[in-house]
Amino acid sequence: MAHTCRGTINLSTAHIDTEDSCNIVLSNGGRTYHLKANSEVERQRWVTALELAKAKAIRMRNNQSGTACFGVRTCNRTLLKTSS
């Protein structure tokens, strides 16, 4: 099955939520990405990694005079759907 990239999301302003034991929701403005992990442990690892990347993106943005775009590419096979 072919996988395609659906775009990027600016983590410094993104909301990272969990729906249940395996699902993650990343949202930022008009874009929402639904991701599904294989297990609760894998979901927690993704959430931790995303939260760390978000904190780094915020630090980068605050340390620069311009706006830093530090996003995550969403071409992982766990992408379920994108809604605008």
Side-chain angles (χ1 to χ4, degrees), residues 36 49 79:
K36 183 174 183 175
L79 184 66

Side-chain angles (χ1 to χ4, degrees), residues 28-70:
N28 185 340
R31 288 217 162 217
T32 300
Y33 296 93
H34 297 263
L35 302 124
K36 183 174 183 175
N38 291 323
S39 67
E40 189 171 356
V41 171
E42 183 182 50
R43 184 212 63 192
Q44 189 54 50
R45 287 180 184 152
W46 271 105
V47 169
T48 299
L50 289 166
E51 287 173 344
L52 290 171
K54 178 178 178 172
K56 182 177 180 179
I58 292 168
R59 283 193 309 273
M60 288 174 62
R61 184 186 64 201
N62 292 339
N63 289 335
Q64 296 178 350
S65 59
T67 302
C69 181
F70 188 83

